[in-house]
Amino acid sequence: MPKAVAGPEIERLIQLLARLPGLGPRSARRAALHLIKKREQLMTPLADALAVARQKIVVCTTCGSIDTRNPCTVCTDPRRDASLIVVVADVADLWALERAGALNARYHVLGGTLSPLDGVGPQDLTIEALVSRAHGEEVKEVILALSATVDGQTTAHYITDLLQDAHVRVTRLAHGVPVGGELDYLDEGTLSAAIRQRTPI
Ligand code: ZN
């Protein structure tokens, strides 16, 4: 075991930082040192922000997203189109879609995807709440923005069946060539999906 270069408090800080996604032990050390050097400008405000967020974080009972208010910021934004619900597996997917800025919609966060192998069934996800939302008068379309994996597609089919008698259009994301992607590098599954879902120019 390597010798410690700092007291246990700093070692603990490094260990905790190393658990963050995208930070390995080396970058965790760099981040810890940066925080220590910038105590006033960064470490103190960060510690305060963490403490406040920890107290206030709630799950939105309407859409399943995470926020510091319930109903959440997205659900209560009057500028969003209430006729459109985008279904995602996780809050990270919601944030990713919002970064893309292609939609002005409400969301529904499932909390995962159906996975018989991992023992994730419909009762573990917010599917029931989604079905009742989809029956709401103002809802016209439900977009299933789920991963192109077996579990993602199983979940999409399951939800589509349940939405049969709701008066909504059920759509899903297109599968195909990524923007900036070279055909030569794509796998056969992606290429054949792109051919099947070709669109007129
Ligand atoms: Zn919400």
Side-chain angles (χ1 to χ4, degrees):
M1 206 173 140
K3 280 187 235 119
V5 290
E9 299 82 1
I10 291 176
E11 287 296 332
R12 169 127 180 98
L13 177 62
I14 294 167
Q15 277 168 20
L16 289 171
L17 286 169
R19 288 194 210 163
L20 293 174
L23 281 194
R26 278 177 64 171
S27 13
R29 270 180 199 283
R30 258 201 308 274
L33 194 56
H34 187 72
L35 285 169
I36 290 163
K37 283 181 180 166
K38 305 248 175 212
R39 264 201 303 291
E40 289 314 311
Q41 306 96 307
L42 194 57
M43 196 185 223
T44 308
L46 177 66
D48 292 347
L50 284 171
V52 171
R54 194 184 80 90
Q55 275 172 4
K56 291 201 167 172
I57 282 167
V58 282
V59 174
C60 175
T61 42
T62 305
C63 74
S65 185
I66 289 170
D67 202 345
T68 50
R69 61 206 68 193
N70 178 25
C72 72
T73 309
V74 171
C75 283
T76 51
D77 186 346
R79 290 163 305 173
R80 286 179 183 271
D81 183 355
S83 72
L84 196 56
I85 296 179
V86 185
V87 178
V88 291
D90 196 82
V91 180
D93 303 327
L94 187 165
W95 290 5
L97 286 168
E98 282 293 298
R99 270 203 313 275
L103 286 157
N104 178 38
R106 301 259 163 99
Y107 288 88
H108 194 89
V109 181
L110 292 175
T113 45
L114 293 174
S115 176
L117 282 179
D118 297 319
V120 182
Q123 70 288 345
D124 300 309
L125 308 176
T126 61
I127 292 178
E128 212 179 291
L130 169 66
V131 173
S132 85
R133 278 184 84 190
H135 277 86
E137 221 169 75
E138 73 279 19
V139 182
K140 304 262 189 305
E141 181 175 355
V142 172
I143 303 178
L144 301 173
L146 299 167
S147 300
T149 56
V150 172
D151 288 349
Q153 295 312 298
T154 305
T155 312
H157 283 131
Y158 183 83
I159 292 173
T160 307
D161 284 347
L162 288 180
L163 293 179
Q164 290 273 305
D165 56 344
H167 295 290
V168 292
R169 199 156 84 97
V170 183
T171 55
R172 64 165 173 78
L173 299 187
H175 299 160
V177 182
V179 174
E182 305 228 18
L183 293 193
D184 202 15
Y185 287 94
L186 294 184
D187 64 279
E188 293 76 13
T190 306
L191 265 178
S192 66
I195 297 277
R196 280 197 309 275
Q197 294 173 39
R198 65 192 179 279
T199 51
I201 295 177

